[in-house]
Amino acid sequence: MALARRSSNLLKPLSTASSSSFLNRRPFSTDDSTTITIETSVPFTGHNCEPPSRSIDTTPKELMTFFTDMALMRRMEIAADSLYKSKLIRGFCHLYDGQEAVSIGMEAAITKKDCIITAYRDHCIFLGRGGTLLESFAELMGRQAGCSRGKGGSMHFYKKDACFFGGHGIVGAQVPLGCGLAFAQKYRKEDHVTFTMYGDGAANQGQLFEALNMAALWDLPAILVCENNHYGMGTAEWRAAKSPAYYKRGDYVPGLKVDGMDAFAVKQACKFAKEHALKNGPIILEMDTYRYHGHSMSDPGSTYRTRDEISGVRQERDPIERIRKLILAHDIATEKELKDIEKLARKEVDEAIAKAKESPMPDDSELFTNVYRKGYGVESFGADRKEVRATLP
Amino acid sequence: MATNLRRFKRFGSIFINNSTPLRGLSSSSAVLGSVDGQVQQPASGTAKSINLYTAINQALQIALDSDPRSYIFGEDVGFGGVFRCTTGLAEQFGKHRVFNTPLCEQGIVGFGIGLAAMGNRAIAEIQFADYIFPAFDQIVNEAAKFRYRSGNEFNCGGLTIRTPYGAVGHGGHYHSQSPEAFFCHVPGIKVVIPRSPKEAKGLLLASIREPNPVVFFEPKWLYRLAVEEVPEGDYMLPLSEAEVMREGSDITLVGWGAQLAIMEQACIDAEKEGISCELIDLKTLIPWDKETVEASVRKTGRLLISHEAPVTGGFGAEISASIVERCFLRLEAPVARVCGLDTPFPLVFEPFYMPNKNKILDAIRDTVNY
């Protein structure tokens, strides 16, 4: 029973009897609630703020959750890759593998009342917010069971009940929106904050600085999370940014540089940032992370960086491997048990894909819905204004 | 500026006459399975069969080669760009003339305006037309009005903004839009859209050397698909001159860019039913060649316009209004518009949204039998 709790929320929707029995059989050498103190991989670097401590407390339960969730995310993205290649996913598709620790660490520090808004690399953020694999794959394949009812696709995942304001298609455009969310939270005197995520490429968009100024001017509880994966599409950060120290680019806005490949560092930073934002207003978190895939599925990801660089990061900084080592070092689970969790993730993903494939495409009439709100009597026209004509429902 | 521009005349060696029956779409029709066109060879030089992105690449190469004060910049163009249009140019001309910018469209265009104002050829690339909107302010308020509001003291005529537009079959909301109509509402810029490799090369060179800022939309669906014989040398095709691609007597069809391939197929099918269609490639949307369209409609008495952008407020509306003004009494049926639907560009519904051959064919029949 205790072990059933251990299985992460990500697995819930699809966990089957067989999988929970598998988890129940798993013996743990350490008690769930034992406190383990670990140190983040590298110290935080602060800009206009005193960085938080490197040491952080965790539990075996949390370690296992991190591992399970990240393994699932990784598997989902690998599966999305092959679905895209077999043309079951159309549109543009940006994968998150390599960056999982950012989502996982952030979620561990905040609640579902805190808002998250991000750009188009959004599958795993959605999963982290409690979205299901079925909703993800169905959306990716444009099916009714998708989180946006099949109308959004890869770049447009949303989850209102978990305050996930979604995937946005234009580089940097979501950052001012995040300020609006934060203003609403502050106005309603809620103790919640908004995490506005953007990449190192978007960090050079003018909108970001407009948003920063507004956030700082009005002391908004906005946390700007720069996921620095070091490449804005095919351009290395140093080719595009005079100062790639993105955590410092807020000038008057404090910043913190975080190892985004270390889920615990991310967790610590997000906790720190939330407290800071509620008290003092905006802060920038620069997550030093890495994407294994290319920018999108049309980018092989190997023309502007070396294969050695990618495999080097995989070997030395991989977020899942880091947790795996911690689990093994603290003797929380065996190598085989971890392998089994990964196998289970694969199974969950395969089942979700099979289920998603059964979900029908949206009804044809959906083409005309949601352009405007219901009941405004707006007509939508077909090609010649005669043959195809529908009053919007 | 004017003096500088005169210099370019020596490069503009081959102007292809408007009345020449160019079968630019022979390429596209090859794609669509019917090869009935013949490529009209230009007056001199050799021609090679290449695709559209290679034709663009050639044009850019010639532009850089023929004017030392021309520059290409945009997101990832130093590596060849996402559609490979700038492949090899940075190596050939150096990174000081072909360079990557950060991801900042507004900055890219604003920078281009300044560069052009100093008498240079600034060739900016916006990676997808869907991303042009952050730069909308710069194009509308800065570029288009620079000459006017400075009483001709300054201008940014050397600015050309290249951007791929249109559907690709699976691009979804933000990689498929056709925003040309927004720019057609802005006096001071020109909007040019080619339909094939040969057209693309000639029109792009003309746009780059044009003394007014140009927004040049490239049909990304055709980048690899469209292949035709393209003269290897330097040539330009005139802006603001439409071309009658196919002569007919019952109905005039007007379109531009990738849509022409679809329209041509509809014309071929209509022909089998005994309807003779005249197909016009507008090429330049503003300022557009009203005379050619008017002359055609006076002959046929019917007009159909087709574009991928949503029908409401699309450039088809402008053509329709102008032609009704000019030849109201000659029209035998209402002007038909077969366009994208009034919805955001959809992902899974793309086949419904698109103004495809059958929709055009239906509208041709309706209009002819009105």
Side-chain angles (χ1 to χ4, degrees), chain A residues 90-92 142 151-153 155-156 169-170 201 204-205 233-235 240 362-364 366-368 371 380-385 387, chain B residues 75-76 79 100 102-105 127-128 130-131 170-171 173-175 312 337-339 341-344 346-349 352 359 366:
Chain A
R90 307 314 305 269
F92 280 64
K151 292 178 78 168
M155 308 204 296
H156 309 288
I170 300 296
N204 300 315
Q205 284 275 358
M233 299 190 294
T235 303
D363 192 77
D364 291 355
E366 287 284 316
L367 170 58
F368 295 103
V371 180
S380 195
F381 301 104
D384 59 358
R385 292 190 163 237
E387 300 291 321
Chain B
E75 293 160 13
D76 287 352
F79 311 126
N100 289 338
L103 307 189
C104 50
E105 290 78 13
Q127 197 164 63
F128 282 87
D130 311 64
Y131 307 166
H170 62 280
H173 314 291
Y174 293 114
H175 296 89
T312 300
R337 286 182 290 159
V338 184
C339 306
L341 306 184
D342 284 335
T343 69
L347 177 63
V348 289
F349 295 122
F352 301 111
K359 285 183 188 175
D366 281 359

Side-chain angles (χ1 to χ4, degrees), chain A residues 165-230:
Chain A
F165 282 77
H168 294 256
I170 300 296
V171 171
Q174 75 284 4
V175 185
L177 273 67
C179 293
L181 303 179
F183 182 88
Q185 288 172 322
K186 187 183 162 100
Y187 194 85
R188 295 198 300 229
K189 297 196 167 57
E190 294 173 351
D191 278 341
H192 306 128
V193 297
T194 296
F195 285 80
T196 305
M197 309 180 72
Y198 59 97
D200 49 303
N204 300 315
Q205 284 275 358
Q207 300 196 59
L208 185 94
F209 297 92
E210 298 179 23
L212 264 172
N213 184 46
M214 285 191 285
L217 191 64
W218 302 323
D219 294 328
L220 304 180
I223 295 155
L224 282 82
V225 183
C226 176
E227 287 184 279
N228 181 4
N229 60 26
H230 304 282

